[in-house]
Amino acid sequence: MQVNAEVSGERIGIFGNSGSGKSTLVHCISGLLQPDRGEIFLDEECLFSTQKGINISPENRRIAIVFQHPMLFPHLSVKTNLLYGYKRCRAEKRRFRPETLIDLLQLQPLLKRGVENLSGGEKQRVSLGRAILASPRLLLMDEPLSALDDTLRFQIIPYLMSVSEEFLIPYMFISHSLLEMQLMTERVLVLNNGRLVEETTPEGLARNSMAKSQKGYLNLLRLTSPVDQNGLFSYTWGDNTLLVSDGQLSGSTLFELSSREIILFKKHPEAISARNLLQGNVMEMFNSDGRVGIVLSVHGEKLVAEIVQSAADELNITLGATIFAAVKASSFRRLV
Amino acid sequence: MPLTQEDITAIWLSLKIAFTATALSLPFGFAMACLIVFKTFRGKIVLEVLINLPLTLPPVVIGYFLLLLLGKNSWLGQLLNASGFPVIFTWKAAVIASATVGFPLLVRSIRLGMEAIDLQLIEASRSLGASWSDSLFTIILPLSLRGIIAGSSLMFARSLGEFGATIIVAGNIPGVTQTIPLAIYDYASSPSSGTMALSLCVVSVVISVAVLLLHELLGKQFDRRGLQ
């Protein structure tokens, strides 16, 4: 594997398919694997250099890892697991109080339990808390959600987000999921066959991968305070009203809407079964391996639809043109 | 079933030798298993062969090699004699013989226990600030306990039954180096001592069953605590 990159930011993503070298990179950065040659710097401190003969041991790098599987120590209780790194961190370097983190991750009722009987989501929360309490300079999250089913995954994501917001620990989030990249990162390094092939934004990655990805481009919509309308949830989205079948009455909810679930019309259709018909202007168009992404401005909100080139030609879509987008109420998938 | 004073001494000596051999071998066995499982180095295969060699060699051959190594004609034997620590034909020689013969069993069991540890647990501990030695004592050691107990039980039981190597380096001196198997051998050689031999056989079975029971009980205890 060969990677040459200099990246700055608080929330860095490493994206790639299985075998692309993501985990190898994590191991090299954390010091668990020694590269054949090269240099690794963190905050201008040299962690590894074959030229200078430097190789700081993993325990002295202060880079914590949240693994794909929680990797909790089976002979220790939840509390002892949580405090494992905390106790090994010098007092002056400790940045967080265990009580604060335990509250945030809602671990209080689990503290005295053994780790074997925890659910998958609970285990991953303990694993996350354990890594944070070690007060790392950098947190490496190596596909922390891959081993969880969808329900658990979206239970954990708010914790990951709140931890990063609350404790301000820069992290590298490793995943092969476009959605996770969109939710968790601000810069993305794309790896393929052990090489860095692209450095981009999550938006750029989502657009580039639109044609190849199973779900196309994912529009993420955070919607709040719905009202019931004939068994559907009616949300306000900018100046629009959206009808959603899988909503929830309380709080704010994050939905994903695939670019492939949106049907475009040049003129207002007379009647349509889809419950959402939105009028928008074409802001931008982009190409992704033969598919055309249409970025619509819908009363102040942005929506990306995906069509094939021949459809774009037939609709004669141009920048600024007015377009109608139809979306079924069941096309919105509730995430968090 | 009658037991003479000499029989009782033989039983006591057997237990003492087996316990000492096991206790002395444990740290080395743990270190060797650790070396083999977690470290990569040249000559690893040679080390593994050497550790396992006593498993395949006849115990008498091991005893003979030990005699050559520790006997009065060897430099080591002369050094030990000169420093007032004679080994040959003492109970210490029986400990060395038992330790040599049982060592591969101990290492093998500990190794199996260590191989079952997920390497990512050790990686997690290192990334949380634990040095290698810290990980060794806080992660590897507790998670190998099952293997350590299994290995110790096996080695203890093997030491109780050790005969071939012991008789060569420690002899068969009643009250000094005569263990249960050696005493049984003596009784069996005499046509009128069948009952005495049988009594010691029963004692031997009882001790072995007790060791195996203890091993099982400790294993269950660990399972219940969810250690592995």
Side-chain angles (χ1 to χ4, degrees):
Chain A
M1 133 167 229
Q2 194 172 6
V3 172
N4 185 7
E6 187 178 336
V7 61
S8 60
E10 299 290 311
R11 305 185 297 134
I12 308 298
I14 299 179
F15 179 82
N17 295 324
S18 297
S20 59
K22 304 186 296 290
S23 290
T24 308
L25 187 61
V26 165
H27 278 70
C28 288
I29 294 170
S30 61
L32 295 169
L33 191 69
Q34 190 176 325
D36 294 330
R37 60 182 179 276
E39 288 182 321
I40 300 171
F41 284 84
L42 176 64
D43 294 337
E44 294 178 358
E45 186 200 343
C46 181
L47 302 178
F48 177 82
S49 169
T50 35
Q51 214 175 5
K52 295 174 193 159
I54 296 172
N55 185 16
I56 295 179
S57 58
E59 66 270 23
N60 292 321
R61 292 193 185 193
R62 293 186 50 227
I63 298 176
I65 307 176
V66 178
F67 292 94
Q68 181 176 354
H69 298 283
M71 288 302 143
L72 299 179
F73 306 129
H75 56 300
L76 303 178
S77 68
V78 168
K79 187 178 177 184
T80 332
N81 261 284
L82 278 172
L83 297 179
Y84 190 90
Y86 181 79
K87 285 180 178 166
R88 282 159 181 80
C89 179
R90 288 211 303 269
E92 69 271 18
K93 302 249 179 187
R94 288 177 187 161
R95 291 166 52 200
F96 320 114
R97 289 176 62 242
E99 298 78 18
T100 316
L101 193 91
I102 287 165
D103 284 346
L104 185 77
L105 294 176
Q106 299 176 330
L107 295 171
Q108 190 64 41
L110 310 176
L111 288 181
K112 287 184 180 159
R113 282 167 63 178
V115 297
E116 294 297 306
N117 300 321
L118 301 180
S119 69
E122 288 169 338
K123 281 182 181 172
Q124 203 54 292
R125 265 154 57 202
V126 176
S127 170
L128 178 66
R130 184 179 69 174
I132 302 286
L133 281 178
S135 299
R137 289 191 296 169
L138 174 68
L139 184 62
L140 296 173
M141 299 201 245
D142 188 3
E143 308 218 29
L145 306 170
S146 303
L148 305 174
D149 61 34
D150 268 4
T151 316
L152 282 178
R153 181 176 307 161
F154 295 117
Q155 276 175 18
I156 292 293
I157 284 177
Y159 289 110
L160 292 178
M161 289 169 145
S162 58
V163 158
S164 78
E165 282 163 17
E166 188 89 7
F167 297 111
L168 301 173
I169 300 174
Y171 63 76
M172 279 184 142
F173 193 93
I174 291 88
S175 178
H176 60 266
S177 156
L178 285 168
L179 174 63
E180 289 170 19
M181 284 292 138
Q182 276 179 274
L183 288 172
M184 295 298 299
T185 67
E186 61 186 15
R187 295 287 308 161
V188 183
L189 305 179
V190 183
L191 294 184
N192 191 18
N193 285 329
R195 310 240 164 198
L196 178 69
V197 290
E198 194 183 1
E199 188 183 336
T200 180
T201 58
E203 176 68 19
L205 178 69
R207 289 187 181 194
N208 282 347
S209 314
M210 183 178 74
K212 287 182 221 146
S213 163
Q214 214 175 3
K215 291 180 179 174
Y217 178 100
L218 292 176
N219 293 284
L220 296 176
L221 295 82
R222 184 160 288 285
L223 305 175
T224 48
S225 314
V227 289
D228 182 55
Q229 189 175 315
N230 301 327
L232 295 175
F233 297 86
S234 171
Y235 287 94
T236 305
W237 182 53
D239 292 336
N240 314 287
T241 300
L242 289 179
L243 289 176
V244 174
S245 53
D246 183 26
Q248 57 183 7
L249 280 174
S250 59
S252 117
T253 310
L254 186 68
F255 291 93
E256 82 175 18
L257 172 64
S258 164
S259 55
R260 293 181 189 158
E261 301 277 349
I262 302 168
I263 300 172
L264 298 184
F265 296 88
K266 192 157 187 183
K267 291 179 185 163
H268 194 297
E270 195 176 322
I272 188 168
S273 65
R275 290 299 81 198
N276 298 290
L277 189 64
L278 306 161
Q279 183 181 341
N281 294 319
V282 179
M283 279 168 68
E284 208 182 323
M285 291 162 73
F286 60 88
N287 248 298
S288 171
D289 291 318
R291 300 293 178 93
V292 182
I294 311 290
V295 186
L296 294 174
S297 169
V298 186
H299 297 299
E301 296 293 339
K302 193 191 85 179
L303 200 63
V304 176
E306 178 185 342
I307 54 175
V308 293
Q309 186 62 54
S310 55
D313 296 341
E314 271 177 41
L315 287 165
N316 192 22
I317 294 175
T318 52
L319 287 180
T322 300
I323 292 282
F324 292 90
V327 185
K328 292 172 79 172
S330 59
S331 297
F332 295 90
R333 181 168 168 247
R334 181 154 56 98
L335 300 178
V336 185
Chain B
M1 277 186 281
L3 287 174
T4 65
Q5 188 54 46
E6 273 183 8
D7 294 340
I8 292 167
T9 309
I11 294 167
W12 167 240
L13 200 58
S14 285
L15 291 171
K16 180 171 135 186
I17 289 167
F19 181 79
T20 313
T22 308
L24 288 178
S25 303
L26 252 180
F28 297 104
F30 182 77
M32 283 298 159
C34 226
L35 206 60
I36 291 169
V37 175
F38 297 112
K39 296 287 172 189
T40 313
F41 56 92
R42 273 190 179 182
K44 191 169 170 178
I45 291 182
V46 177
L47 180 69
E48 288 187 53
V49 168
L50 281 176
I51 289 173
N52 286 317
L53 197 59
L55 269 185
T56 50
L57 283 178
V60 176
V61 174
I62 296 168
Y64 191 70
F65 281 143
L66 286 175
L67 192 62
L68 290 178
L69 183 72
L70 302 167
K72 62 181 179 183
N73 293 327
S74 75
W75 68 267
L76 187 58
Q78 284 169 3
L79 185 75
L80 288 168
N81 278 332
S83 38
F85 195 76
V87 168
I88 295 297
F89 300 121
T90 67
W91 73 277
K92 291 166 219 149
V95 168
I96 293 171
S98 290
T100 311
V101 173
F103 194 66
L105 296 172
L106 179 72
V107 175
R108 198 162 270 259
S109 296
I110 299 177
R111 191 180 155 176
L112 282 176
M114 282 180 179
E115 281 170 346
I117 300 173
D118 193 321
L119 282 179
Q120 279 199 331
L121 288 173
I122 300 161
E123 292 179 348
S125 77
R126 300 292 311 277
S127 76
L128 291 167
S131 63
W132 168 247
S133 56
D134 190 352
S135 294
L136 182 70
F137 289 109
T138 57
I139 307 296
I140 298 173
L141 179 64
L143 293 180
S144 310
L145 270 181
R146 191 97 204 249
I148 291 172
I149 289 167
S152 305
S153 313
L154 266 178
M155 182 162 179
F156 189 85
R158 176 68 187 85
S159 300
L160 282 176
E162 170 40 37
F163 181 87
T166 308
I167 202 164
I168 302 270
V169 282
N172 185 3
I173 310 163
V176 181
T177 62
Q178 191 177 63
T179 56
I180 297 173
L182 297 176
I184 293 172
Y185 173 72
D186 260 5
Y187 283 133
S189 311
S190 149
S192 58
S193 307
T195 319
M196 305 298 284
L198 195 62
S199 304
L200 278 179
C201 286
V202 170
V203 170
S204 200
V205 169
V206 169
I207 295 174
S208 296
V209 168
V211 170
L212 292 173
L213 272 178
L214 186 68
H215 165 233
E216 287 300 322
L217 283 174
L218 284 173
K220 285 219 162 62
Q221 192 93 10
F222 279 113
D223 286 345
R224 221 171 295 138
R225 280 197 226 156
L227 281 177
Q228 276 197 344

